[in-house]
Amino acid sequence: MNIATLPTVSAGNLRDAILAHLAYSFGKSPEAAQIEDWRMALSYAVRDRMVESWFSATRRCYEQKAKRVYYLSMEFLIGRLLEDGIVNLRLQDQAHAALAELGLDYHAVLADEPDAALGNGGLGRLAACFLESLSTLACPAIGYGIRYEHGLFRQSFRDGRQVESPETWLLQRHAWEFQRPEARYRIGFGGEVKTAGGNTTWTPSEHIDAEAFDTPIAGWKGRWTNTLRLWSAKAPDPFDLESFNRGDFARAAAPEALARTISRVLYPDDTTEQGKELRLKQEFFFTAAALRDILRRFDSEYDDLSLLPAKVAIQLNDTHPAVAGPELVRILHDERGLPFEEAMTIARGCLNYTNHTLLPEALETWHEGVFGKLLPRHLQIVDRIDDAHGRANPSRTLSMRANHQVRMGELSFVMANRVNGVSALHTGLMKDTVFAELHRLHPERIVNQTNGVTPRRWLLSCNPRLSRLVTDTIGDGWVGDLEKLRELEPHVDDAGWRERYAEAKRANKAALARWMADTQGLKVDPQAMFDVQIKRMHEYKRQHLNILEAIALWQEISETPDAGWTPRVKIFAGKAAPGYFFAKDIIRLINDVAKVLNADARTRDLLQVVFLPNYNVTLAERLIPAADLSEQISTAGKEASGTGNMKFALNGAPTIGTLDGANVEIREQVGAENFFLFGMDAPGVMARREVPDHARKAIDADPRLSRALAAVADGTFSPDEPGRYANVVANLSDHDYFLVASDFTDYWRAQREVDTAFADRDRWTRMAALNTARSGWFSSDRTIRGYMADIWGAESLQLD
Ligand code: F58
């Protein structure tokens, strides 16, 4: 069958397919079926429709001897997949109708799917958007990662405090993966290295098997389907029979339990992973398995290893798979017998590295003791790489091996053909700061690829009301070519069209308000401005700046309630890493403030604060279409790019933000008049830090800020424990590395501009609509085209 001409599916076909799977795949009659059975049956019926293009994509790739892209990432934050599949195969109408015929509600069935939270945040979500765009562009690619049994923890609140519990997505049935028992590799750790007769061999002391699970990822219109291959850890000998026979059942099961710890849980930490041996094991586990798989595929087609860079492009998503460098060199040199220098050159020809952060504490380093114990041969190879690099660059002053550490950023850089940042500003700062010396030595290596988001998930499926309006106005070409949204611009001048745009937003807000009432017991006014900040909790993202502004606003509204305030609901969501106590304090503070403000009868019609628990992809899909205002308020120079900022702009929520990450490019695209800029820029931040007592000075200069901080300090929001936030207040007054105090005054000013703009609803709608019309550049299709051209040298395969 030709991939481009799949037969269309009718609602009747789909209904029959659902019923067939219900009976034959799950052994259920319609009478006995639970919602999960229906969801599984529908998923299988949709998945069936991907298989043909999946096979033909693989065939096409072998026929054309195409270069393949391998995206190695510790995290793929894929969320739910059923709607993605339905939307990309354009089966929405049929699925609605088929389920209706079966007496089922489409949304209820979709909502039964667990949200696969196999990532922490932006980095993992970016990987998921990239997979979808790679398929949309028919670029042959495989994503490699870990099949965590438990994704990012579930968050709830007790007395306003974050409580973590394990995430259990695999307890429900998962429809999308194919287990591949035949794709299994034995991965070694520890042991010893011996050199004899010029040959070096590594004999590991411990082994874990990596078993593949494949998920098909269909691109737009289902014309091409790539694979997400996740590795699950298994014991080589799952069962110790001798112990079992002795009656020691715990010991008998121990090997399997031990092995499985490697893929048991996603690390939720943002701080250095130093000393966390299990994390290093995870990194080597999936990277080594991926490389074995890549080489097996290569060997099946070619017998000349020098062709590797021409046929294989490997992208390292941050430094987590950085051990790919030494591992590939080890395989090529120790196992395949290539001279060391040649092995290094070939490996470097295949590898590329994306950096996602400049925060020094987030750049991975490993103590050589830990690294050498787990990967003794790799430590030697790192030293040789470092040596070779030093010799080739005699003016070098910094090594990847300082202070008994292995520095993964430097290692990745040296072993990469291309190194990229994720926004223009971030890439520039990489050149000037963390990688200044390496950039001087290799000026051609660093390139920029500004992030993007897939329009299929982040507009078409999450915002059907706005999508319908867009398609009614300019046709549906925008879904595969987001820059076409510019064609909306002339319509923005049409008052009738603006009214339709405003109506879509109103309806989205009303739906969110209903959902908050039904599920959270929260009553909010959908007429009020929905001011939204959703992202991981981190000092640099400055959720505390936002809540301090809320406090100051509340104080001012209390004094002059009739001053014509613009009603607002401030909505927060986000998880704090369990060991990040300051971030947890901020969560608690926001919840405490919410309690006081929402109970204040004088002000609550004008200002409410809401913290929604358990932020995940599904919640983002619900919140973003209903947002009026997007909070992107990080300290300039700290947010590498941001991708939430793009999703909000696309869905018609103008940004209040700093000149940080991709905010800079968003502002360029949507126009400065449709963006609320405030705060210091990156050079301003660096200069301000040099000012002695900058925080105290800023607090003393702004009575609103002093009063808000005083309320936090005197227990206004924690009457049962007035000192609860002493640490937060002290940090902000004495230290304030992220310059909350210094940016407060200008933030307040920008927020009042937002108030004024929002009060003129027609003006606001125009701004919102222009944000949508001018956000087409932020499609991950554009980003992936950039990687293909500038980094991978990969091509889209013909879809005839
Ligand atoms: C994010 N990094 C950046 N890291 O913060 C964000 O600016 C950028 O848009 C995004 O990457 C995509 O480029 C990020 O999400 C993590 O989640 C860490 C992963 C490793 C564990 C600690 C968190």
Side-chain angles (χ1 to χ4, degrees), residues 75 120 122-123 269-270 320 356 422 451 536 540 639-642:
E75 306 191 1
N120 276 284
L123 172 152
D269 215 338
D270 219 341
H320 316 140
H356 296 269
V422 289
N451 284 166
R536 285 179 300 139
Y540 84 77
E639 188 68 88
S641 162

Side-chain angles (χ1 to χ4, degrees), residues 307-322:
L307 284 175
L308 210 56
K311 297 297 172 188
V312 167
I314 298 173
Q315 192 66 33
L316 308 180
N317 196 24
D318 218 289
T319 55
H320 316 140

Side-chain angles (χ1 to χ4, degrees), residues 191-214:
E192 39 174 45
V193 178
K194 284 207 182 101
T195 304
N199 291 328
T200 305
T201 42
W202 172 36
T203 315
S205 54
E206 186 194 351
H207 288 96
I208 313 266
D209 282 3
E211 186 180 49
F213 285 74
D214 288 351

Side-chain angles (χ1 to χ4, degrees), residues 496-513:
W497 188 87
R498 279 202 304 280
E499 183 41 38
R500 292 170 72 195
Y501 188 96
E503 177 49 33
K505 183 64 83 182
R506 267 199 299 277
N508 289 341
K509 291 174 68 179
L512 176 63

Side-chain angles (χ1 to χ4, degrees), residues 341-363:
E341 297 286 336
E342 192 183 340
M344 230 181 100
T345 306
I346 292 179
R348 214 178 69 69
C350 300
L351 295 167
N352 307 285
Y353 155 55
T354 306
N355 173 281
H356 296 269
T357 184
L358 302 174
L359 294 182
E361 68 274 20
L363 294 172

